[in-house]
Amino acid sequence: MSSSPFPARFRRPWNEHPLSLPANVLWVFTVLLATGVGLLSDFSILAWLAVVGMTIAATGVTWVVRSTLDSPNVSSKPSDVMKGTSLWKDALRRWRRHQMATASSVVLLTIALACASQHALIHLVPIAMNQRTIDFAPDSFFSLHIDHTRTHEGHTYQPPSSRHWFGTDSLGRDLFARTLFGGGISFLVGLVGTLVSVAIGVSWGATAGYAGGRIDTWMMRAVDILYGLPFLFLVILIMTLVNGLGTIASKAEQRYAEIEMNRAQGDLAQVAALEEKITAEERTALWMTRLFPPIVVVFIAIGLVSWLTMARITRGQVLSLREREFVTAARAIGAGPLRIIFLHIVPNLLGPVIVYSTLTIPEIMLSEAFLSFIGLGISEPSCSWGTLASEGLAGINVIKPRWWLMFYPAAALSISLFCLNFIGDGLRDALDPKGDRR
Amino acid sequence: MTALLDVVNLRTSFPTPSGLVRAVDGVNLKVEPGGSVGIVGESGSGKSVLSLTIMGLVACPPAIITADKIEFEGRDLSHASQAQWRGVRGNRLAMIFQDPMTSLNPFLTVGDQLAEPLIVHRQASAADARNKAKELLQRVGIPAASERLDAYPHQFSGGMRQRVMIAMAMACEPALIIADEPTTALDVTVQAQILDLMREIRESAGTAFVLITHDMGVAAGFCDEINVMYAGRVVERGSTRSIFRDPRHPYTKALLESVPRLDDPPGGRFLPIPGQPPDLTSLPVGCSYAPRCRWVQPGCLETAPTLVPVENDPARTKACFVDMADPKGQV
Ligand SMILES: Nc1ncnc2c1ncn2[C@@H]1O[C@H](COP(=O)(O)OP(=O)(O)O)[C@@H](O)[C@H]1O
Ligand SMILES: [Mg+2]
């Protein structure tokens, strides 16, 4: 590295280099943008210029990093062991060494932020299935790229272009907006489902592990039995029941609408006759679907079936933590059981639970996608990456390969799942207390 | 003067699939205020179980604990509730563990852990506890105490962590500290420093110590009285001087001979104890040391000896039939 134009004091090992992360992230986004632009049907000189610009920037940053890179085992700074660096800071330093994990977290954050801002904009601008209180011009940015419910007349089945980046579907809705919206729903299902599974799994496992003895045996036997059940069938059963309820409920809703109409016309005899016709079942179904909207049922159903591994992991951790010497030392100090569980055991549990959660999110997102793909789960007018992909599959045929309908949602889902898995791997290494402390 | 700690006929056993493990089998122990009692024995002889039982830290089912008396500061603890135990532990009766690497919580700062006994027992405010924690760190000889309060255990060396453990044990100014092999995990120079620190605390604060060790040398430097433990029983008891000068139990003699000494002639006698410690699930009918004993007599295999005063020295007791000076003069 004698040819480096930079003085030696600028040299940094990879995980301390301030530009290492930007270099990686720039390359990832350059590739993503180039793919996106390359798939547009009309030539767009501005987009190509952006791709070229990003490529130049990425090359430049990479060159700077390469020429100031120090070998990783020579620390440039004297170790600051005695300054109160916490375990979390140590973990962060180990995490920064994982290039895939750091780059993945940036990509995932970008996707999640884009989806979240689409949802935010949609809710800020009140629209409900084409009943807008504010009407945007058909060619405005909001209508073209944000509003996932607007049907662009004469623009059905458009391939990706500089007007509709990801193309349009059979109703002329912009697929970019729908992909963002579906992503929001997918992430929501993944997060809430994981929270449900963490809540159940951690409390079940921690209780079993801390109680020990017979209670532990019975609680874990229950988990073993549940492991043996074909869970997908259970979820499918639940979802089918919910869908059936939904059909009855929508019938009831129609009747109520009819009643309202008659009442407005003053036809009281007809109102009474119609009210007579509404059965108790229909009332219950309506009440149930209002209480548990389908999306909530998806959260609960998936969360309910994915806590088993979490319970096992937690129980194993608590069993070994309970016997650790520092727990005995805490008892020797006179600390009570609550203090020991919450001050001494739970923080030591956090690492594995966080790691396993990051691996549960993609699992649950995938289950949701699968359920939606086979027609259960999220239903119109809402959508998720799973439903979009399944609609896309229906739209594909040999004569007119409308590949974009399936390609973009599926690609977004795959990229997110990749990222989550890499992040999980990185976290596992970073949060491992036995990892080296350099 | 009444004893600070008076334990009579303490038994702790663990039911296991291969039988009942009698880890502590009828031990008597008396500690005077400000005294220092050593418990010495090979590993596996039940020293840790004894100390944990005295601390009330052995979970009672599955373990089976019986005692005629466990009296501490005039209070009988053998029937104490968990809440009563918690009030004593860390407050009047504290413990130092063997491995300072694992007995501190890796996720809490040293300051937080030092403050814990004060918060639990004295209901100290966070600021008070922090101040006291700083004083404690200074007291045990850790320099730059105020900065180190916010450090995590992994940033401390083994010796410094053991100092932190000692500071934690001292936090509420207990009357008795039980130290279970406090120096075993440390290297020799640090061992001496830690023992010096404990000795200094004993002299300045008047805290009594029970020092548990497998190292006769460590016990000799620290204790006034030594109990030699073998297979869950105390086999010999006496003042440190008398035990060292004139061991009366073959096991004590063997222990002393197995310690290399500076005044040993080169190539001279340095004898490891032959054989293995006995299986605690099936102790022999007679003396449990008999299978390894150089002075074994036929009578030793038939009845187990009890702890009786040595003829010419009433302060000393031993559990052995043999007079080593004259093996034929068996009782
Ligand atoms: N929880 C337990 N269950 C069964 N056996 C035990 C338990 N704790 C200790 N023991 C047994 O008790 C004996 C004494 O152990 P210990 O007190 O740790 O010896 P040491 O003198 O080395 O401290 C050992 O044989 C050990 O196997
Ligand atoms: Mg021990």
Side-chain angles (χ1 to χ4, degrees):
Chain A
M1 266 190 224
S2 51
S3 65
S4 163
F6 298 98
R9 69 193 155 89
F10 286 126
R11 298 235 174 101
R12 291 281 183 281
W14 179 269
N15 60 329
E16 285 174 21
H17 203 294
L19 289 180
S20 59
L21 185 58
N24 270 0
V25 169
L26 263 178
W27 278 116
V28 174
F29 280 113
T30 308
V31 171
L32 287 182
L33 188 69
T35 319
V37 171
L39 292 169
L40 296 186
S41 59
D42 52 347
F43 184 76
S44 168
I45 191 93
L46 269 179
W48 275 118
L49 281 179
V51 171
V52 171
M54 272 182 76
T55 315
I56 293 171
T59 318
V61 176
T62 311
W63 175 76
V64 172
V65 174
R66 284 277 153 219
S67 43
T68 56
L69 199 60
D70 208 345
S71 70
N73 41 9
V74 186
S75 183
S76 53
K77 274 184 288 177
S79 85
D80 46 355
V81 175
M82 271 312 152
K83 270 181 43 210
T85 62
S86 74
L87 286 184
W88 297 111
K89 278 190 200 145
D90 265 357
L92 194 68
R93 197 160 49 226
R94 284 197 293 271
W95 160 258
R96 292 260 288 140
R97 267 191 324 212
H98 262 261
Q99 300 173 35
M100 282 308 266
T102 37
S104 292
S105 62
V106 175
V107 172
L108 190 75
L109 268 181
T110 313
I111 296 179
L113 269 181
C115 296
S117 27
Q118 194 266 352
H119 276 255
L121 283 173
I122 289 295
H123 287 292
L124 287 179
V125 182
I127 44 170
M129 285 305 285
N130 289 345
Q131 295 171 346
R132 289 172 185 76
T133 44
I134 311 169
D135 203 2
F136 283 82
D139 283 345
S140 64
F141 185 86
F142 184 87
S143 306
L144 283 180
H145 305 305
I146 303 296
D147 184 355
H148 67 289
T149 56
R150 186 181 192 109
T151 52
H152 297 271
E153 271 146 48
H155 285 277
T156 55
Y157 288 135
Q158 292 288 307
S161 65
S162 50
R163 182 184 152 95
H164 295 289
W165 297 334
F166 287 4
T168 59
D169 67 3
S170 58
L171 297 177
R173 291 177 294 192
D174 182 68
L175 198 62
F176 179 73
R178 283 178 69 73
T179 306
L180 287 187
F181 182 82
I185 298 290
S186 282
F187 279 122
L188 197 67
V189 172
L191 282 177
V192 179
T194 302
L195 281 184
V196 171
S197 93
V198 167
I200 302 178
V202 169
S203 21
W204 191 271
T207 313
Y210 200 75
R214 291 257 290 276
I215 300 177
D216 178 35
T217 312
W218 284 111
M219 286 178 84
M220 291 331 277
R221 200 63 69 244
V223 170
D224 292 343
I225 292 169
L226 290 178
Y227 251 114
L229 291 184
F231 262 121
L232 217 50
F233 285 122
L234 202 65
V235 175
I236 290 172
L237 192 73
I238 297 175
M239 296 313 298
T240 316
L241 287 177
V242 168
N243 278 9
L245 271 183
T247 322
I248 302 177
S250 64
K251 229 185 263 166
E253 236 157 42
Q254 272 173 14
R255 285 187 200 277
Y256 276 113
E258 216 175 304
I259 290 172
E260 281 308 306
M261 228 162 66
N262 281 315
R263 182 167 295 156
Q265 288 165 3
D267 192 349
L268 289 180
Q270 185 70 8
V271 169
L274 281 172
E275 266 175 359
E276 200 90 323
K277 270 200 206 159
I278 297 179
T279 60
E281 280 155 50
E282 282 170 342
R283 273 179 221 278
T284 328
L286 196 61
W287 177 75
M288 294 262 290
T289 43
R290 286 208 178 132
L291 201 61
F292 298 110
I295 186 160
V296 175
V297 178
V298 178
F299 297 152
I300 296 177
I302 298 179
L304 275 180
V305 302
S306 52
W307 59 271
L308 298 174
T309 313
M310 187 63 89
R312 281 191 170 173
I313 289 175
T314 310
R315 183 237 179 199
Q317 288 288 323
V318 172
L319 271 187
S320 77
L321 282 173
R322 204 178 56 159
E323 302 301 328
R324 289 275 287 278
E325 209 154 274
F326 67 80
V327 172
T328 316
R331 292 207 293 143
I333 277 169
L338 283 181
R339 202 181 166 81
I340 288 176
I341 294 180
F342 288 107
L343 211 72
H344 293 278
I345 291 186
V346 166
N348 284 281
L349 214 56
L350 231 48
V353 168
I354 289 175
V355 169
Y356 191 67
S357 302
T358 46
L359 299 175
T360 308
I361 297 174
E363 208 178 285
I364 288 184
M365 284 172 74
L366 207 59
S367 317
E368 181 275 323
F370 175 74
L371 283 178
S372 302
F373 198 84
I374 61 173
L376 302 163
I378 313 291
S379 51
E380 285 285 335
S382 192
C383 63
S384 72
W385 283 338
T387 57
L388 287 176
S390 96
E391 279 167 27
L393 187 70
I396 287 180
N397 62 53
V398 186
I399 302 148
K400 285 192 171 143
R402 293 159 184 149
W403 52 271
W404 62 90
L405 287 178
M406 189 166 137
F407 175 79
Y408 289 102
L413 180 63
S414 315
I415 292 173
S416 305
L417 297 188
F418 263 130
C419 289
L420 277 164
N421 277 308
F422 283 129
I423 292 171
D425 274 354
L427 279 179
R428 176 161 47 212
D429 290 350
L431 293 180
D432 179 7
K434 288 189 195 72
D436 70 78
R437 297 201 183 285
R438 279 258 96 203
Chain B
M1 193 157 44
T2 62
L4 179 65
L5 175 74
D6 191 3
V7 176
V8 177
N9 196 17
L10 177 68
R11 288 166 200 275
T12 305
S13 26
F14 301 97
T16 63
S18 53
L20 197 65
V21 176
R22 296 174 197 279
V24 176
D25 198 9
V27 167
N28 300 344
L29 189 69
K30 210 171 220 174
V31 183
E32 303 297 335
S36 72
V37 174
I39 297 176
V40 185
E42 275 172 304
S43 77
S45 53
K47 309 181 299 289
S48 296
V49 173
L50 173 64
S51 58
L52 290 174
T53 312
I54 295 172
M55 290 293 293
L57 290 175
V58 176
C60 208
I64 302 164
I65 300 173
T66 60
D68 293 349
K69 185 158 129 188
I70 303 178
E71 202 176 84
F72 177 67
E73 292 192 314
R75 271 196 290 169
D76 186 19
L77 291 177
S78 53
H79 300 289
S81 69
Q82 279 301 316
Q84 283 170 316
W85 268 117
R86 280 204 294 277
V88 174
R89 255 187 247 144
N91 189 11
R92 305 300 304 153
L93 179 60
M95 185 157 177
I96 302 168
F97 290 88
Q98 172 172 349
D99 190 353
M101 297 294 169
T102 57
S103 40
L104 287 167
N105 186 337
F107 276 85
L108 292 183
T109 64
V110 165
D112 285 345
Q113 297 189 60
L114 274 172
E116 208 175 347
L118 298 163
I119 291 169
V120 169
H121 294 291
R122 300 278 155 91
Q123 283 77 43
S125 70
D128 286 351
R130 195 179 158 85
N131 276 333
K132 187 77 201 294
K134 196 172 106 191
E135 278 170 32
L136 284 167
L137 270 193
Q138 281 162 349
R139 176 88 172 71
V140 297
I142 291 184
S146 41
E147 286 111 73
R148 294 238 163 93
L149 279 183
D150 294 321
Y152 286 81
H154 72 260
Q155 296 164 325
F156 278 37
S157 69
M160 276 161 74
R161 285 191 225 186
Q162 197 60 298
R163 285 171 193 268
V164 173
M165 289 303 292
I166 293 174
M168 259 165 91
M170 283 169 55
C172 294
E173 288 149 24
L176 174 64
I177 295 180
I178 300 178
D180 185 359
E181 312 221 16
T183 59
T184 306
L186 307 173
D187 53 49
V188 183
T189 47
V190 183
Q191 272 188 19
Q193 290 168 10
I194 294 292
L195 286 172
D196 280 343
L197 174 64
M198 283 167 45
R199 201 172 295 126
E200 192 269 318
I201 288 166
R202 195 188 148 207
E203 276 156 18
S204 62
T207 314
F209 272 88
V210 171
L211 178 72
I212 291 171
T213 177
H214 62 260
D215 185 342
M216 272 293 195
V218 168
F222 189 79
C223 304
D224 300 337
E225 185 199 304
I226 288 181
N227 291 262
V228 179
M229 235 179 129
Y230 186 77
R233 294 184 189 153
V234 173
V235 292
E236 183 168 12
R237 164 178 304 141
S239 71
T240 307
R241 279 173 66 104
S242 63
I243 290 237
F244 268 78
R245 187 180 304 151
D246 178 21
R248 291 301 186 87
H249 193 284
Y251 180 61
T252 315
K253 197 172 168 62
L255 271 183
L256 285 170
E257 279 168 357
S258 68
V259 179
R261 288 160 55 136
L262 277 181
D263 55 358
D264 280 345
R269 281 205 311 175
F270 164 46
L271 300 166
I273 306 176
Q276 294 293 317
D279 178 6
L280 294 179
T281 53
S282 55
L283 288 175
V285 188
C287 173
S288 44
Y289 186 62
R292 300 167 77 185
C293 184
R294 268 184 279 162
W295 284 273
V296 65
Q297 301 286 329
C300 297
L301 300 170
E302 281 152 24
T303 42
T306 50
L307 208 57
V308 291
V310 174
E311 325 79 55
N312 48 14
D313 187 355
R316 293 192 58 185
T317 47
K318 67 164 184 175
C320 182
F321 301 126
V322 183
D323 183 357
M324 283 186 293
D326 173 21
K328 295 282 171 290
Q330 195 195 342
V331 187

